[in-house]
Amino acid sequence: MIFGIPDFQILLGYGLSIGLALACIVYGLLYWNEGDGSNGS
Amino acid sequence: MAVDTLMMAVLVLIYLAATLVIGYLGYKKTKSSEDYLVAGRCSHPVIIALSYGATFISTSAIIGFGGQAANLGMGLIWLTVLNIGVGILLAFVLFGKKTREIGQRLSAVTFPDLMCKIYKSPLLQYIAGFIIVVSMPLYTAAILIGGARFIEPTLGISYTTSLILFALITAVYVVFGGLIAVMYTDAFQGTIMLIGMTVLLALTLITVGGFTAGCTALTNMADLVPKALSDQGMTGWTMMPELGSPIWFTVITTLVLGVGIGVLAQPQLVVRFMTAKDDKSLNRAILVGGPFILMMTGVAFTVGALSNVYFYQTSGRIAIDAAGGNVDAIMPLFINQAMPGIFVIIFMLTLLSAAMSTLSALYHAMGTALICDLWGRGRECALSMKAHQAGIVIMMVLSTILAFLLPINIIARATVMFMGLCACAFLPAFAVGVYAKAPSTKAALYSMVTGAVVWFIWTAFFHAAEAKPLGLCQALFGKVTLLGSPWTAVDPIVIGLPISLIVMVVMQWQIGKAQPSAAAA
């Protein structure tokens, strides 16, 4: 049992939620200056 | 906790005044039809992200789905996974950039207009516009009901007055300021939502002794799961329901998939992509959008589930019992009982922000669909600002009338229904449209109509949650649903979306295969 949660599926859900939010931050930083101009990257 | 009602009323009025002032700034910046319809195609990334997020998250996500997490447990966290993974990452990276680029190239101003220009089919624009004008008032009415139910006790005015006031105040800045005013106010409201949900999480964790202590206590309460729920597959609030059980189908197909996938093809969200100047703006918006959604739905579902610990420790009852069996009442009751008075006010402003940001986007999408896509399609007047203002007023009035006719417990159900219909009708045609080199008009038409029809049939004749109140199946066949369990718990999106997708892909492939041979002949 991790963090008081016995079900791995729930833990995985929390892990993915936080991981995906972090992935959004990383994506935004990595591509911060890409895609300039009005007709796509 | 006792709340100073005078202070609450004053703060709500200050909030409303600030919203109107920001809306006025948007009105001053609106000079052309393009400003009114797609915010001049040059929105700031942070405004795009907050507007998209605040439009996406309504009171339903916080109150309705937070209450569902209190009732059915933490399995709803999988909806947050889809909200961020599908609703933000996939939506912005795969669909957002293509939508922006095509929308700009073809000068599309609404979702149906985009579909029409991609497929070169006015009929497609009529059908998409018709689906929006017919179905979106249901979702809008649900948001109105949620907002009015909050305003009624907060300002001490009647439900009828609350509903009319809420509809009018929101309509004022949408009608005059168009999408710029909508997105400016969304950003302001999104910021309030972010503050409110952050404080809610912190105070809840303090109340239950921290995340691990709270979850441990919740795990130990598994034997308190009501018999009616345990008989249907619920095993505890920190456990997923039994695979294939009725509750598993409800959590996974209706709540997680229905809303998680449905978000991809919502017209009022797709338009946000067309307001970006370039892909760089969308890349930067992703950075804000992901954490924003995590702090909205992730917090609502965690707090909802953990509210059981608070209620059990303070009153010896689980959340649903403490709320008298009303799922929608759990979150407000928890806030009122467990939080300091000042936070009750902050949370009320959070809810008002969530409701107004979604409502304003829906007004704009419905009004523009009525004028640009149905009444004035192909005519010069379809881009007239005055015509769109009239369209928004008409749709606002219709939605308000509908809100008075619908039952007040419709909020979460109407949200799921609208998102499911959007996914079934629009998603395959939208996805193929923005990616295929030669998208087939015929395939898109068949897919859209098939998706909408199958969604309706499943809703009216198979899915018990809607078939029962609609009563159509009962009237025609003498029984509530045509099939028994587990089909009665399977959400329409699970049936409608694959069928719509198959129709789209097969027809696109067949037509694509026929075209080269026709050319060769």
Side-chain angles (χ1 to χ4, degrees), chain B residues 121-459:
Chain B
S121 165
L123 180 58
L124 212 58
Q125 186 171 6
Y126 280 124
I127 294 174
F130 178 75
I131 292 173
I132 291 169
V133 168
V134 168
S135 67
M136 210 178 258
L138 176 72
Y139 183 32
T140 310
I143 305 293
L144 277 169
I145 292 169
R149 284 180 71 188
F150 147 71
I151 295 170
E152 182 187 11
T154 305
L155 297 182
I157 52 180
S158 73
Y159 175 77
T160 305
T161 312
S162 304
L163 205 148
I164 292 170
L165 265 183
F166 183 39
L168 279 177
I169 290 172
T170 309
V172 165
Y173 67 82
V174 183
V175 168
F176 289 104
L179 197 56
I180 296 181
V182 170
M183 291 182 75
Y184 278 11
T185 51
D186 282 354
F188 168 64
Q189 290 154 346
T191 306
I192 292 176
M193 290 161 70
L194 198 55
I195 294 168
M197 295 307 279
T198 305
V199 179
L200 175 63
L201 177 67
L203 292 179
T204 302
L205 292 181
I206 292 169
T207 303
V208 299
F211 185 72
T212 303
C215 290
T216 305
L218 195 57
T219 301
N220 293 336
M221 290 168 61
D223 56 341
L224 297 173
V225 171
K227 192 172 181 308
L229 294 177
S230 61
D231 285 349
Q232 292 188 66
M234 183 166 164
T235 53
W237 287 277
T238 54
M239 304 277 285
M240 287 297 285
E242 282 172 22
L243 185 68
S245 64
I247 289 192
W248 184 89
F249 274 110
T250 301
V251 170
I252 298 301
T253 70
T254 299
L255 302 177
V256 174
L257 292 179
V259 178
I261 294 175
V263 70
L264 276 178
Q266 284 188 50
Q268 76 278 16
L269 293 180
V270 172
V271 167
R272 293 320 185 253
F273 299 137
M274 295 198 275
T275 67
K277 183 184 172 194
D278 48 28
D279 285 353
K280 189 167 74 176
S281 300
L282 293 177
N283 288 338
R284 293 179 180 185
I286 292 171
L287 187 149
V288 180
F292 179 85
I293 297 296
L294 177 69
M295 289 310 296
M296 296 297 120
T297 62
V299 169
F301 304 154
T302 304
V303 169
L306 288 175
S307 70
N308 283 289
V309 176
Y310 168 80
F311 285 117
Y312 187 63
Q313 287 174 351
T314 54
S315 65
R317 295 183 295 177
I318 61 170
I320 189 71
D321 290 340
N326 182 358
V327 173
D328 287 346
I330 295 174
M331 291 292 278
L333 184 72
F334 173 67
I335 304 291
N336 274 311
Q337 288 193 4
M339 300 290 143
I342 183 68
F343 181 72
V344 177
I345 299 174
I346 294 173
F347 189 72
M348 290 305 172
L349 292 180
T350 302
L351 289 185
L352 196 55
S353 298
M356 285 182 86
S357 52
T358 307
L359 186 62
S360 59
L362 296 177
Y363 279 164
H364 187 268
M366 289 189 301
T368 54
L370 180 69
I371 299 303
C372 185
D373 306 315
L374 289 180
W375 174 77
R377 206 221 74 77
R379 292 192 261 168
E380 193 59 35
C381 56
L383 292 177
S384 145
M385 258 170 41
K386 283 208 184 311
H388 280 105
Q389 288 172 333
I392 291 168
V393 170
I394 291 169
M395 295 311 295
M396 184 270 286
V397 171
L398 287 177
S399 306
T400 308
I401 293 169
L402 189 62
F404 280 115
L405 298 175
L406 288 172
I408 57 171
N409 58 353
I410 192 80
I411 304 173
R413 179 59 47 197
T415 305
V416 171
M417 285 172 73
F418 173 72
M419 294 196 181
L421 174 61
C422 282
C424 295
F426 299 142
L427 187 51
F430 173 51
V432 171
V434 295
Y435 272 100
K437 281 184 181 168
S440 157
T441 308
K442 202 173 170 186
L445 282 168
Y446 275 85
S447 166
M448 205 180 268
V449 173
T450 308
V453 170
V454 171
W455 176 87
F456 176 76
I457 291 172
W458 198 266
T459 298

